[in-house]
Amino acid sequence: MKVRVTLFGALREADPHGFVEMDVPDHCTVATLREALQTHVRNHAPSISENLIKRSAFASEDEILHNHRHVPEHGQIAVLPPVSGG
Amino acid sequence: MKVRVTLFGALREADPHGFVEMDVPDHCTVATLREALQTHVRNHAPSISENLIKRSAFASEDEILHNHRHVPEHGQIAVLPPVSGG
Amino acid sequence: MTDIYTAVVDIAHAPLNPAAALEFVSDPRFGGIATFIGRVRQHNHGRVVTGITYDLFDPLALRIFQEIGERARAEVGGPLKLYIAHAKGSLRIGDFAVVIAAATPHRDEAFRACRLAIEAVKHEAPIWKQEHYVDGDSAWSEGCSLCEEHREAELAAAQQSKQTHGHGH
Amino acid sequence: MTDIYTAVVDIAHAPLNPAAALEFVSDPRFGGIATFIGRVRQHNHGRVVTGITYDLFDPLALRIFQEIGERARAEVGGPLKLYIAHAKGSLRIGDFAVVIAAATPHRDEAFRACRLAIEAVKHEAPIWKQEHYVDGDSAWSEGCSLCEEHREAELAAAQQSKQTHGHGH
């Protein structure tokens, strides 16, 4: 399935569009998507540290999706680097 | 000496002028003044509880004057019942 | 010190002004502003309140506000701007009784300074509150003694009661 | 619930408004209002800052603000009004980044709710801060991971550091 991963914060620098699109196995977990994103970033945005992806969370508009969760069927997900509000 | 004791809070009810004037020995302490005020209030404003005078502090415009302190020479002092600001 | 602003405001002339407090403590060095605003509320101890009269011994109150400010500065141990203003006179429901604002580089010190200031104003400043009730009755609040013989025992009792069921006054 | 107001404010359209926060939490039941306002300050970690860009994931941020509000309500265990607004976009020195206001009958709960809310906003909401420096350089702040594998260890470390030398972020 095609997944569109919206980028935030420091990860915006991975792509000027503010998102990356990737092919991942249907019904795959967030853990699998994380690995796919690591590979994508390593190839396309090597200035971004791998550790930043490791420390990032994935989320829908409603909630954080931890590693064991499935990627939403509509193929939209956000990747959230460590936060620093206020 | 004549002392003018300015009244605040619940003690305002001891005198409609907002102060009472009393004769006390020259150079007397605040403890002596407190006793004189007790007597004055007992005679002139019996609705005020003696305990309220006991729990009240005396003060100049600059500081609290505890029992061992002398009544200021200018004969002006304030009596402060328990406080409840804010 | 110009970093500490203190005022007793006769509300016959003007209300307390939280925006002015914010303005006073603003400074490019400071990222955190904590404020406390006390307002007259409609109920106290189960009685319907229609208004409150505040009585203050102004010159001593201002000195004590200043002293509280110095203490907050010592506690914070770094740059601080602090605003303390208390209303005087007859207030209605919703009127501001006290406005405190503390600004510091980071938020933790701002909260600590603000809390220290409001607690000290409540327990140490020569301020008295007369509540007026809907039935026409009125009463001066029972408060904290400033008299040394009573003070320690009362503060200890207040600490005790704070730990067991919150802080009543 | 109408007792909790949450907003993400694009400051290209309007600044955060502390007066509106005060207005929202006002209620004749409430005697205590605690607020926290975060502003952009000129220095951070010894560097001269000229501005900050805030990036937010709006829909999730609003949900999390609401969740924080519910948590504050549970913590207070009584009536509460809470206002949480965070700025989004390019802020200059002195601009408001976040405004929190909490009102309750008494002051202790108001302080607790306000503090809980700002700490949670800082550590849990999807908000990112890019600092711009006077030398033209810029950097995204190191923050708190929302990823469960990292979160617990980081929060424990932050607690530790808070106890020993204050709270850095």
Side-chain angles (χ1 to χ4, degrees), chain C residues 70-83:
Chain C
E70 308 291 352
R71 209 187 308 160
R73 197 211 308 281
E75 158 75 18
V76 160
L80 165 75
K81 282 189 180 174
L82 183 65
Y83 181 103

Side-chain angles (χ1 to χ4, degrees), chain C residues 28 33 35 37 42 107 119, chain D residues 28 33 35 37 42 107 119:
Chain C
I33 304 175
T35 75
I37 296 170
Q42 204 155 29
R107 72 186 178 287
E119 297 301 326
Chain D
I33 304 175
T35 75
I37 296 169
Q42 204 155 28
R107 73 187 177 287
E119 297 301 326

Side-chain angles (χ1 to χ4, degrees), chain A:
Chain A
M1 66 187 287
K2 264 215 154 22
V3 178
R4 175 185 285 216
V5 183
T6 312
L7 306 166
F8 289 97
L11 287 178
R12 281 191 185 275
E13 285 161 31
D15 194 294
H17 298 98
F19 63 85
V20 296
E21 282 188 328
M22 291 184 306
D23 261 314
V24 293
D26 284 5
H27 314 302
C28 78
T29 63
V30 164
T32 303
L33 176 67
R34 183 188 300 274
E35 280 168 39
L37 186 64
Q38 296 254 33
T39 308
H40 181 97
V41 163
R42 196 179 307 131
N43 294 334
H44 297 87
S47 69
I48 289 178
S49 92
E50 297 215 8
N51 193 40
L52 188 59
I53 310 281
K54 275 195 194 127
R55 294 182 64 220
S56 294
F58 290 82
S60 70
E61 295 197 347
D62 295 334
E63 56 174 341
I64 306 288
L65 300 171
H66 291 303
N67 272 337
H68 63 282
R69 298 287 294 275
H70 290 272
V71 172
E73 304 234 334
H74 54 58
Q76 305 268 3
I77 200 164
V79 60
L80 315 179
V83 300
S84 57

Side-chain angles (χ1 to χ4, degrees), chain C residues 131-150:
Chain C
E131 286 182 338
H132 305 285
Y133 305 107
V134 71
D135 59 12
D137 195 12
S138 72
W140 289 95
S141 285
E142 293 288 321
C144 297
S145 178
L146 298 181
C147 175
E148 59 186 345
E149 287 76 17
H150 294 266

Side-chain angles (χ1 to χ4, degrees), chain C residues 18 22 26-29 31-39 41-42 105-108 111 115 119 122 167 169, chain D residues 18 22 26-29 31-39 41-42 105-108 111 115 119 122 167 169:
Chain C
L22 218 55
S26 288
D27 188 300
R29 293 172 298 169
I33 304 175
T35 75
F36 178 78
I37 296 170
R39 300 175 84 217
R41 67 199 164 91
Q42 204 155 29
H106 300 279
R107 72 186 178 287
D108 187 60
F111 273 110
R115 188 70 196 255
E119 297 301 326
K122 296 246 180 193
H167 199 53
H169 61 83
Chain D
L22 219 55
S26 288
D27 188 300
R29 295 172 297 170
I33 304 175
T35 75
F36 178 78
I37 296 169
R39 300 175 85 219
R41 69 198 162 90
Q42 204 155 28
H106 300 279
R107 73 187 177 287
D108 186 60
F111 273 110
R115 189 70 196 254
E119 297 301 326
K122 295 245 180 194
H167 200 52
H169 59 84

Side-chain angles (χ1 to χ4, degrees), chain D residues 70-134:
Chain D
E70 308 291 352
R71 207 187 309 159
R73 196 210 310 283
E75 157 75 19
V76 159
L80 165 75
K81 283 189 178 173
L82 183 65
Y83 181 103
I84 303 178
H86 202 290
K88 171 176 178 159
S90 291
L91 280 68
R92 289 161 307 177
I93 304 302
D95 282 349
F96 299 136
V98 59
V99 172
I100 311 257
T104 57
H106 300 279
R107 73 187 177 287
D108 186 60
E109 305 95 288
F111 273 110
R112 282 191 291 130
C114 183
R115 189 70 196 254
L116 181 155
I118 183 62
E119 297 301 326
V121 166
K122 295 245 180 194
H123 295 121
E124 301 174 28
I127 303 173
W128 301 272
K129 180 162 88 170
Q130 185 182 30
E131 287 181 340
H132 305 284
Y133 305 107
V134 71

